[in-house]
Amino acid sequence: MVYLLFLHTSSFPVPKEDWLMSQVYRRGILNSTCLMNNLSHSQSKLKHNVAKQIFVECNHKFIYCEVPKVGCSNWKKIIILLTMNLSRKANEVQQDLIHRTPLLKRLSSYPSDYQDKLLTSYTKVMFTRDPLERLVSAYRDKLLHSEPYYSITVANEIKAMFRKNKNSTEKVTFQEFVNFILTKNQEHLDIHWKPMFLLCDPCNIHYDILGKFETLGQDSDHVLRNIGAPEDLHYPNFKTHSSEKRTSGDITQEYLRKLSSEQIEKIKKLYQMDFALFNYPYDFKMNLYETDTV
């Protein structure tokens, strides 16, 4: 499919009005880009893989679409506290609890007609992040740490594709990781690096609040106040691997410099709709990379 990109770069600054105006601005860009690219299908049934990404919290009529690497673990901790009506800090919820608790209900667990009812009556929220920063964050978190599925199973698949010595014990490089992603159909990518618009389908689910990782504190507070969460409940400011620096713009550029110009162009194309829909700068400085060979 060829997309008509409605691209917004630094020449389209986000207005400095209040938070509600910034939401109107974000929604306007999203809606116009959806329209230009024929991504809105009002009669279409919600895809099962999208319904699986969406969490439902009934006490506060809250719907949250999970985009991995955009602070979703902390949002799931908040949903657990809201569900249990507990007055605690989100960082008191153990990390492993979010992977094994029955308290987190996915939209996919409800009948399809009831899904529609929830989507029209609950406050719907999704958060996004700069697509390339999210990609680097996924690589650092999943391929450089010891979670067996990614550091062994996925890593071995990548090594088998790109290394002569498939039994090499060296960690997968960022270049190999990017080349691996580029061999896949975007619909079948792992959720940690799948384009955000495919995870949450914002052209067909009309999210009431469009949050950004870049304004996480402000946006999260507005979400919590909007749904009537306890006044003392706030989004926590910490990361899983606390000894490591959070993936920032500078760290992202460090990794992007390891890529060739061809890789940069291909990876930008893969995430082109995320750049356009969520208003992230697409015109990356082309002196990012040091060489045209990998």
Side-chain angles (χ1 to χ4, degrees):
M1 181 183 291
V2 177
Y3 293 115
L4 291 168
L5 296 185
F6 184 33
L7 298 177
H8 312 274
T9 65
S10 54
S11 61
F12 290 85
V14 174
K16 293 185 177 178
E17 285 88 5
D18 63 16
W19 183 82
L20 285 174
M21 283 306 298
S22 74
Q23 286 294 303
V24 170
Y25 183 81
R26 289 174 187 178
R27 198 171 294 112
I29 288 173
L30 177 80
N31 291 343
S32 58
T33 310
C34 291
L35 191 64
M36 288 180 69
N37 291 280
N38 196 28
L39 294 172
S40 300
H41 309 288
S42 57
Q43 302 304 315
S44 63
K45 186 174 180 288
L46 182 66
K47 292 179 181 177
H48 181 71
N49 62 320
V50 174
K52 278 177 65 177
Q53 291 300 119
I54 295 174
F55 291 92
V56 179
E57 198 284 302
C58 295
N59 291 340
H60 299 80
K61 295 187 175 181
F62 176 45
I63 277 178
Y64 165 74
C65 184
E66 176 188 22
V67 177
K69 308 315 305 166
V70 189
C72 60
S73 293
N74 288 335
W75 271 114
K76 286 189 272 189
K77 292 178 180 183
I78 285 172
I79 291 171
I80 289 170
L81 293 177
L82 291 172
T83 302
M84 297 179 72
N85 280 317
L86 287 178
S87 182
R88 289 187 185 177
K89 292 182 178 178
N91 58 10
E92 293 179 52
V93 179
Q94 293 181 354
Q95 183 71 18
D96 64 340
L97 180 63
I98 65 175
H99 301 299
R100 55 182 171 81
T101 178
L103 294 170
L104 291 170
K105 299 289 186 186
R106 295 181 188 268
L107 188 62
S108 56
S109 68
Y110 295 90
S112 58
D113 57 340
Y114 197 65
Q115 289 178 17
D116 293 338
K117 183 179 177 182
L118 293 172
L119 286 169
T120 54
S121 58
Y122 279 27
T123 300
K124 300 172 293 299
V125 174
M126 76 170 287
F127 275 77
T128 60
R129 185 177 189 175
D130 179 278
L132 298 189
E133 189 174 297
R134 176 174 171 255
L135 179 68
V136 170
S137 178
Y139 167 74
R140 294 177 75 210
D141 185 41
K142 297 301 176 186
L143 275 300
L144 298 187
H145 292 292
S146 56
E147 191 177 332
Y149 173 70
Y150 293 98
S151 63
I152 299 174
T153 307
V154 174
N156 285 344
E157 185 182 349
I158 296 173
K159 290 174 187 177
M161 275 187 175
F162 302 110
R163 293 187 185 180
K164 289 180 181 176
N165 177 10
K166 297 175 184 179
N167 297 318
S168 166
T169 56
E170 289 182 16
K171 289 184 183 293
V172 167
T173 67
F174 185 61
Q175 297 97 310
E176 289 171 328
F177 173 64
V178 166
N179 283 337
F180 170 70
I181 288 173
L182 292 173
T183 66
K184 306 286 185 181
N185 180 305
Q186 65 175 6
E187 290 277 356
H188 302 135
L189 288 171
D190 183 284
I191 61 170
H192 293 87
W193 43 86
K194 189 174 188 175
M196 296 177 283
F197 85 103
L198 292 176
L199 292 173
C200 296
D201 196 12
C203 292
N204 295 296
I205 296 174
H206 303 294
Y207 290 94
D208 301 289
I209 296 175
L210 297 169
K212 288 195 172 190
F213 191 79
E214 294 76 13
T215 50
L216 186 60
Q218 183 187 35
D219 292 343
S220 297
D221 270 348
H222 279 282
V223 169
L224 292 171
R225 304 295 76 82
N226 192 281
I227 64 173
E231 287 294 323
D232 58 351
L233 182 59
H234 299 282
Y235 187 92
N237 182 25
F238 71 98
K239 67 193 293 289
T240 307
H241 303 287
S242 55
S243 61
E244 190 175 73
K245 284 186 180 176
R246 189 186 294 278
T247 302
S248 62
D250 288 343
I251 288 174
T252 299
Q253 289 208 8
E254 263 179 53
Y255 279 91
L256 294 178
R257 287 192 189 99
K258 299 175 183 180
L259 303 180
S260 69
S261 56
E262 184 182 7
Q263 285 175 307
I264 290 269
E265 286 307 315
K266 285 181 177 177
I267 210 72
K268 280 167 59 180
K269 187 175 181 182
L270 173 64
Y271 294 108
Q272 63 183 354
M273 286 313 305
D274 280 351
F275 282 110
L277 288 163
F278 307 119
N279 194 30
Y280 286 104
Y282 185 79
D283 55 345
F284 262 83
K285 299 184 182 84
M286 294 316 290
N287 62 356
L288 274 175
Y289 41 82
E290 299 169 333
T291 176
D292 279 349
T293 59
V294 176

